[in-house]
């Protein structure tokens, strides 16, 4: 996961709507069904999807009243905590 991408997507969600990101995730997930995709391409799509879900999570935290900086930090701590296990 890349924090700059999650930050940009979170700002996009704040300006527009989370539905755009959800529909993009659905589209990317559909693309993963192509049998002709190479592993590297699947990795890129997976990374994009992961970042989008992260941005949705951060955006939800912000909507729940957590300041943006704290929401980002909490999210990244959860991600790093899951990697350590």
């Amino acid at each position: 996961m890349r924090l700059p991408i999650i930050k940009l997507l979170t700002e996009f969600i704040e300006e527009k709507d989370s539905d755009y990101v959800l529909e993009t995730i659905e589209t990317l997930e559909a693309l993963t069904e192509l049998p002709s995709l190479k592993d590297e391409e699947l990795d890129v799509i997976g990374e994009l999807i992961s970042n989008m879900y992260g941005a949705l999570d951060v955006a939800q935290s912000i909507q729940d009243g957590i300041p943006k900086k704290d929401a980002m930090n909490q999210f990244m701590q959860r991600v790093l905590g899951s990697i350590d296990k």
Side-chain angles (χ1 to χ4, degrees):
M1 291 200 177
R2 302 221 7 164
L3 193 57
I5 293 173
I6 292 172
K7 183 178 177 184
L8 179 94
L9 288 171
T10 301
E11 291 169 0
F12 178 85
I13 291 168
E14 289 174 347
E15 292 173 14
K16 306 284 184 185
D17 193 296
S18 63
D19 288 340
Y20 289 102
V21 176
L22 289 168
E23 290 171 0
T24 302
I25 290 170
E26 289 177 21
T27 303
L28 290 171
E29 287 175 343
L31 285 174
T32 64
E33 301 297 320
L34 284 171
S36 61
L37 283 179
K38 298 175 185 169
D39 288 342
E40 298 86 24
E41 294 167 328
L42 283 171
D43 289 343
V44 170
I45 292 171
E47 184 70 19
L48 288 169
I49 291 170
S50 175
N51 285 312
M52 288 179 188
Y53 275 123
L56 288 168
D57 187 59
V58 171
Q60 183 61 53
S61 295
I62 293 169
Q63 279 187 331
D64 292 342
I66 298 172
K68 183 187 284 190
K69 183 177 179 180
D70 293 340
M72 296 287 277
N73 286 334
Q74 288 175 8
F75 175 76
M76 289 311 292
Q77 287 175 350
R78 284 195 315 266
V79 169
L80 292 175
S82 69
I83 292 172
D84 290 338
K85 293 182 180 182

